[in-house]
Amino acid sequence: KEVEAMAELKELRLKVMDLETQREVWNNQVKRQGEEGKRLQEQLDAANKNMMDLNAQLRESQRRFGDLEGKLKEDLMMARIRDAENTQCVAELTQKISNLEYKNQELVTEGDLSTSIDESDRVRELQDKVACLRAQLPTPACTPLVEYKLFLPYK
């Protein structure tokens, strides 16, 4: 009986050692899994932080894009206003040029008319002078050829 008890004790000790070894293996596995879980949690936290940073950058980029889009719309509106003002200015200047050209033509015509009137007056004066000179001539029977020779002497 004692031998049996010793054999059973030896067998139980082997079982205890085997269980302790398994416990160590399991403890090591649990420890490794805990470390892996911790590492994965840290990666998850880092990924979440990175995603939050990227979201903040995205919001900032969207805000800047909105600002730039607003500025672009404002610049386009200002360009349209300037274009309209320039078009109006060109139209006004074109109208002024037309008015000045018309006025210039009036002045040229007026000058031509004045010159024509002055020449017409001069012709009348010369005709009056010719009539006066004819009246002073002693011979009433002058021919046009004689009159011509009187006023334009031969050189």
Side-chain angles (χ1 to χ4, degrees), residues 134-147:
R134 278 187 186 166
Q136 293 175 4
L137 286 177
T139 56
C142 275
T143 62
L145 186 59
V146 172
E147 286 179 8

Side-chain angles (χ1 to χ4, degrees), residues 54-65:
L54 290 174
N55 281 332
Q57 288 176 4
L58 176 63
R59 283 190 302 275
E60 178 62 21
S61 295
Q62 287 172 335
R63 184 194 62 77
R64 281 192 312 228
F65 177 76

Side-chain angles (χ1 to χ4, degrees), residues 14-28:
L14 283 175
K15 229 178 195 187
V16 167
M17 281 178 59
D18 188 36
L19 289 174
E20 283 179 356
T21 303
Q22 280 184 347
R23 184 182 57 101
E24 282 296 318
V25 169
W26 288 337
N27 281 341
N28 287 339

Side-chain angles (χ1 to χ4, degrees), residues 83-109:
D83 191 37
E85 288 172 348
N86 289 340
T87 301
Q88 182 180 356
C89 188
V90 166
E92 289 172 1
L93 290 174
T94 303
Q95 182 64 37
K96 282 183 182 180
I97 288 170
S98 295
N99 289 341
L100 289 172
E101 286 175 346
Y102 179 75
K103 193 167 201 113
N104 186 39
Q105 190 60 42
E106 280 182 344
L107 291 173
V108 167
T109 304

